[in-house]
Amino acid sequence: MSDYKNIWVLIDIQNGQAKTLELLTGGRKLADAVSEKLVAVVIGSGTDAAVKDAVANGADQILVVDGADYADYSTEGYTYALEQLAGKYKPAALLIGATISGRDLAPRLAARLKTGLAADCTDLEIDAGTGTIQWTRPAYGGNELAVIETPGARPQLGTVRPSAFKRGEPDTARTAEIIKEDIALPAGTIRTSIIERIAEVAEGIKLEDAEVVVSGGRGVGSTENFALLKELADLMGGAVGASRAAVDAGWISHVAQVGQTGKTVSPKLYIACGISGAIQHLAGMSGSDVVIAINRDPDAPIFEVADYGIVGNIKDVLPALTEAIKKLKA
Amino acid sequence: MNILVCIKQVPDIEKIKVDSAKKVMIMDGVPNIVNQFDTYALETAVRIKDADPATKVFVVTMGPAQTKDAMKSCLSVGADRAYMVTDDVMNDSDTLATSYVLSAAAKAIEAREGVTFDLILCGKQAADGDTGHVGPQLAEYLNYPQITSASEITVDGGKVSARRPTDEGAEVVAAVLPAVVTMSQTAYEPRYASVKTKMAANRAEIPVLTAADLSLDAAGVGLAGSPSKVIKTFVPERKKGGLKIQEETGELSAQKLTALLSDAGVI
Amino acid sequence: MFFNDDHNDIRALAREFAEKELAPIANEIDQNDEVPQRIYDLMAEMGFFGLKIPEEYGGLGLDTRSYVCVMEEICKKSIAASLVMSSCNSLSTAPMLLAGTEEQKQKYIPKIASGEEFMAFGLTEPGAGSDAASMTTRAVEDGDSYILNGRKCFITGAPFAQNTVIFAKTSPEKGAKGITSFIVDMSLPGVSVGKHEDKMGLRGVATSDVVLEDVRVPKDCILGEIDRGFITAMKTLNTGRIGVSCQGIGVAQGAMDEAVPYMKERKQFGQRLADFQGLRFLMADCEARLNAARLSVYNAAYMMDMKEDATKAASMAKYFATETGLDIVSKCLQMFGGYGYVKEYPIERMYRDARVLTIFEGTSQVQQIVIAGELFGR
């Protein structure tokens, strides 16, 4: 086990852009605690920009696997590449973003490497003596947190919510050792193929990046009423989110879903409109700095987590709120 | 074709309450149900059977004796045959050990029934652990391709294609059969049992497989076979409720809130 | 004690259906005065319409307790949604099962069990409720037919029924012993339905008059023997009483299920309603009486299943369960204070729905007559 050294972070690449750079902040904390290197792993086709971003965001070393085989994410291709890298370099731990592809990849890789895995982690600590990581993660729909360890196997694997860490200021003057690995996939490794891509990119600011999120739930009542939320979000330079109930009702795309089975957001201001506050939803927005709840039901659980609450109908309150903020800004 | 659907019986998390003083979840009186995403997986399988009556749908679960209720429930909504994998040596298995057991169970059921599974469906994650590991790990043990979080699938010409969300939007992915697909919520709701199918399920024989029946390597199951260890669990702190505004009209409430936000420097 | 594993599973199925499908729309059913067709389709698919109907006529041939389990669970969320299934299992099919020919049974019952057709029950008249002997609808023999004239009122489902069992006097001079029952095709010339009654509660299932003007009904539509219809009617009503008693315990439990959590949340004078001893005792009283009512219903159902004479037991169950149920719903509404009186909370609808239970299918007073008759002799 002592052969296994260094904290690895897998950098997600989406449309050529490096994602999950926040994980480098978490990885840095762990690496420093055990005085090991923070290594970014970049897999893709055309990775130069992502490599630069990884360096600027704090990686000591970059492992790059660049090739046409990796142009699109595939479970089997990426698992194979990481298996080869892990076999050669023996990392102590690998952090993977708890994104849709990360949560597809990590369990497959953990089974390939016969090691433990903690899913969807919100916090990380490390024992400086043993190098064992304590992965904190929600279970039971966020009702409970569990601390997971993989004391007897290496590498230690976890998927980590990007929102668990804040990205540091990138330092473009930083340098790091860049190691390119050529890993050719044996024929027939990938048994899946992408038939169609459906872009459902939400207009305007991305939900995860927005500083203000105006979210709607069952109480919004219709697609038309979501326009009221959009108006307020636009005014405040924010994005529109939704609870699962609103997505299920078909009022808004799943891309906007916040919660246990949707996105995790941590904006400066979260405005929950007609959202009762089921624990599954709270799991996706509890990191918000300030929470405002607007709900007709004075007993809705959302008020328990809200800093400010308005008891009332969103159809009355939202336009008035938009108007009042407009005046304030003028 | 033959489909195996992996089922987990979980507590109905919607009914879990938290004792905030004692900081524990109150599990008393919380009923056990079939994991919701698994019900979508089963409904998807049964819909394939509806379209092609030559299809047989099998379900399997690993768990204690009371998982029989989950199996009866699956039989009442269209599964043809249900298997339980029940053995104390499997207690405290993590997802890796669970996947190992299920992969062995899939092989054992194939041998007993004289079938081969073309498609294995799972829910994308279980409501208790929320890991989403077992589907992909089962695929790895069986050396099958995987598609996770599918909301819609079609099977045609030796392939399964599935619509799944991506971090950008959605995609349709095809996998060569046999394959493991984990199901997210589908556009259709799982069907209800009928009084008739419910009563028939009560009378169905549900075989129980043990570790011995699966010729498992003891080192791979239970606590010993689980590299992931749960060190502790706790109920997270919640912040206390803040200020509640309820003026005569929505407009007055909105104005009061705006003033408060402005004073607090939030906007 | 009263129930086996099958009963419990059937109850669980009905509960799941009621909680998922009925609870969210129960107030909508009331406001729109319509039960959505998909609810009926689901109930038919699940087998609820044919629970007690024998298997040879397309039903499940289950016992009365199975029917009680389903009715009770559905009525916790919406009595209106129980009316059609209740009818299919009793008023719609009992007359044919009791008195019909094999041909009639085969012709009508399977379609009722599958939900394709509805058969209404036409006994009550403007001037004759439980006093069936005073009915004025006439049937006069004319060749191979009977000519029917008269008016039936408060007929549940008449506007959408394909057929109605009509009770009419064939021998007016013989009073109750001169009544014959007919299966009347609602599309026959001379049959019309009156206006859809604007009811206080149980909104969602249309109730109206059935008007018969020189309706020519072929003789093969006579149900049972001439002049023997009254006995068919009375026996049918006996089986119907158990259904109404289920509505009573169902709605009462539904009201308790609304009131108890509310009382744990709602604070007045610095404490929860659930902490006021006066209210605690009041709810304890409701709980105890509801339990007694439930046992009286289960007891009557059990006697029916054991083929014992349940006339008195069913009347007592109907009387006690509906009077007690109505009172419990009223007490639960009281817990909500002013909120109990507005349509936003389900308790307001439950109260209106429950009000009819002591009236239809034999008022409480008629039940008392039956019970007293058993005590003192008629």
Side-chain angles (χ1 to χ4, degrees), chain C residues 17-74:
Chain C
F17 167 77
E19 287 178 355
K20 280 198 197 153
E21 303 293 334
L22 299 179
I25 61 163
N27 275 11
E28 215 172 285
I29 289 173
D30 177 68
Q31 278 153 29
N32 301 346
D33 203 356
E34 187 179 5
V35 176
Q37 185 57 41
R38 61 173 291 273
I39 294 293
Y40 288 139
D41 292 346
L42 266 175
M43 290 172 91
E45 273 167 38
M46 292 171 83
F48 293 167
F49 288 177
L51 288 170
K52 288 202 314 173
I53 294 173
E55 287 177 277
E56 57 266 42
Y57 306 120
L60 294 167
L62 298 177
D63 55 18
T64 310
R65 284 166 293 162
S66 304
Y67 169 67
V68 165
C69 290
V70 176
M71 282 293 288
E72 195 182 349
E73 293 302 325
I74 287 176

Side-chain angles (χ1 to χ4, degrees), chain A residues 14 103-104 108 112 117 137 140 145 147 149 191-193 195-196 198 279 298 304 306-307 309 311, chain B residues 25 128-131 140 143-144 146 148 168 170 172 174 228-229 231-232 234 238-239 242-245:
Chain A
Q14 293 168 14
R103 294 194 65 180
D104 179 86
R108 185 92 191 203
R112 180 79 49 96
L117 173 62
R137 63 174 304 270
Y140 292 95
L145 292 175
V147 178
E149 286 182 358
R191 289 168 289 182
T192 56
S193 52
I195 301 202
E196 189 189 349
I198 303 138
I279 189 82
E304 285 168 32
D307 300 281
V311 181
Chain B
M25 292 192 294
D128 50 359
D130 276 330
T131 68
E140 173 64 18
N143 190 23
Y144 292 167
Q146 73 185 51
T148 52
E168 261 28 89
V172 178
S228 301
K229 313 286 180 197
I231 303 306
K232 66 168 180 175
F234 59 99
R238 290 264 188 78
K239 58 180 178 185
L243 185 74
K244 216 182 273 183
I245 304 164

Side-chain angles (χ1 to χ4, degrees), chain B residues 72 192-196 198-199 202-203, chain C residues 6 9 13 20-21 45-46 48 60 62:
Chain B
K72 278 165 45 177
Y192 284 100
S194 73
V195 171
K196 200 171 191 171
K198 196 101 183 168
M199 288 172 65
N202 271 354
R203 287 157 185 73
Chain C
D6 278 344
D9 280 343
L13 180 64
K20 280 198 197 153
E21 303 293 334
E45 273 167 38
M46 292 171 83
F48 293 167
L60 294 167
L62 298 177

Side-chain angles (χ1 to χ4, degrees), chain A residues 81-127:
Chain A
L82 282 165
E83 178 193 7
Q84 301 304 312
L85 291 176
K88 182 169 175 184
Y89 293 98
K90 297 188 174 8
L94 169 60
L95 277 52
I96 297 175
T99 58
I100 293 172
S101 56
R103 294 194 65 180
D104 179 86
L105 171 67
R108 185 92 191 203
L109 180 63
R112 180 79 49 96
L113 301 175
K114 299 283 179 291
T115 188
L117 173 62
D120 207 21
C121 299
T122 52
D123 198 14
L124 313 173
E125 295 293 334
I126 193 165
D127 182 313

Side-chain angles (χ1 to χ4, degrees), chain C residues 44 51 92 104 122 126 135 168 203 216 228 239 367:
Chain C
L51 288 170
S92 300
Q104 288 169 334
M135 76 169 50
R203 301 174 68 85
R216 177 172 289 274
R228 301 281 288 171
T239 71
Q367 306 310 326

